[in-house]
Amino acid sequence: MTVGEIIFAVLVGIHGLCFLEGLALVIVYLINNEIKKSDKLILTAYILWAISPLFSIIGVFFGVFL
């Protein structure tokens, strides 16, 4: 494997972890939506879901050009 393929695999793995962590936080928010602190959970979940595709895009860049 080349260095680019290894970086691609790691970044796609990070993408998956961010997606699953965001999903877990959304589930916790839906269960505990009466708690004031849960608003921070949904914000964190949205941030994780928003940045997770960036890891795959950057990974593809490194996979192709390295």
Side-chain angles (χ1 to χ4, degrees), residues 4 11 39 66:
L11 289 176
D39 291 339
L66 287 183

Side-chain angles (χ1 to χ4, degrees), residues 3-65:
V3 174
E5 291 172 343
I6 294 170
I7 293 173
F8 172 72
V10 169
L11 289 176
V12 169
I14 292 172
H15 171 204
L17 289 174
C18 285
F19 178 80
L20 291 176
E21 184 67 27
L23 180 65
L25 289 175
V26 167
I27 291 170
V28 169
Y29 173 76
L30 292 175
I31 292 171
N32 297 324
N33 60 359
E34 67 274 356
I35 300 173
K36 289 184 180 180
K37 292 180 182 178
S38 66
D39 291 339
K40 292 179 183 177
L41 288 174
I42 198 68
L43 178 64
T44 305
Y46 286 150
I47 290 171
L48 285 173
W49 276 3
I51 65 168
S52 67
L54 294 176
F55 290 112
S56 290
I57 293 168
I58 293 169
V60 168
F61 173 78
F62 283 121
V64 169
F65 293 112

